[in-house]
Amino acid sequence: MKFKPFHLWAVLPVILIVAWFVLFYSPVSSKNRLKERELMRVKAEKVTAENEVNRLRALRKREMEAKSRIENMSADIPRYEDLPRFIKGITEMAKAKGALVEDFGSIFLPQEDQQSGPVMNPVMEITVKGRYLQMGRFLEELERNKAFKGVVKARMTYEEKQYPVLTGIFVVQFRAKRG
């Protein structure tokens, strides 16, 4: 069988195309795909790293805000050693509001034993005499103080002989700095 030049010219481009595909296009294409996969992985790592950086910045900002709040709060909280002076201030404030502090005693609560950290929470029992609204003003003013943590227990009684004057016994928890 004789080959005609036409068959040779028709087969030669097909052979060249197949050779070009096998020798050049496939290796370059596979390298490109590998590089694209690596690029996608690097982009995913970049997004993860950016998210972590943003999260760390937010945590740092929150930490700085918390520190400033603690410093502001700490400036207004008395030291444990200064509590007698603080108590004297409370009795004077009660007088200014029209109530009289009859008794001021310290109480030990079971959870107080387990406290740790720079701030402790001493509990005091305050006996106050006065009219109902005067005691309310006293408690409102006490609540404005940053050293005030909360009222644990409260009881109000009256004697018929002294009717408009009530006796309030309040178990109040304060904040005080250690040392």
Side-chain angles (χ1 to χ4, degrees), residues 23-73:
L23 294 176
F24 296 109
Y25 182 75
S26 286
V28 171
S29 175
S30 65
K31 285 181 185 177
N32 283 344
R33 274 185 261 136
L34 287 174
K35 287 184 180 183
E36 284 176 5
R37 285 185 199 136
E38 186 176 338
L39 180 65
M40 295 299 283
R41 185 183 53 79
V42 168
K43 283 183 179 180
E45 286 178 11
K46 178 185 173 193
V47 168
T48 305
E50 286 175 350
N51 289 340
E52 287 297 314
V53 166
N54 290 337
R55 186 181 67 79
L56 289 174
R57 283 182 184 154
L59 283 174
R60 180 73 175 177
K61 183 179 177 184
R62 236 184 303 159
E63 177 188 13
M64 296 302 281
E65 289 172 355
K67 280 183 180 179
S68 68
R69 278 196 311 254
I70 288 172
E71 287 172 4
N72 289 341
M73 184 200 251

Side-chain angles (χ1 to χ4, degrees), residues 85-99 101:
R85 202 170 334 163
F86 177 71
I87 292 168
K88 183 179 177 188
I90 289 176
T91 57
E92 290 171 358
M93 185 258 305
K95 275 185 190 174
K97 297 297 174 187
V101 175

Side-chain angles (χ1 to χ4, degrees), residues 72-73 76-77 86 90 93 97 133-151 172-175:
N72 289 341
M73 184 200 251
D76 296 335
I77 295 176
F86 177 71
I90 289 176
M93 185 258 305
K97 297 297 174 187
L133 292 176
Q134 293 167 336
M135 279 196 271
R137 285 189 209 111
F138 164 70
L139 288 173
E140 284 176 351
E141 189 66 30
L142 190 62
E143 185 180 21
R144 287 189 190 108
N145 192 325
K146 294 212 179 191
F148 175 79
K149 185 169 183 185
V151 175
V172 181
Q173 197 168 20
F174 293 101
R175 292 182 185 98

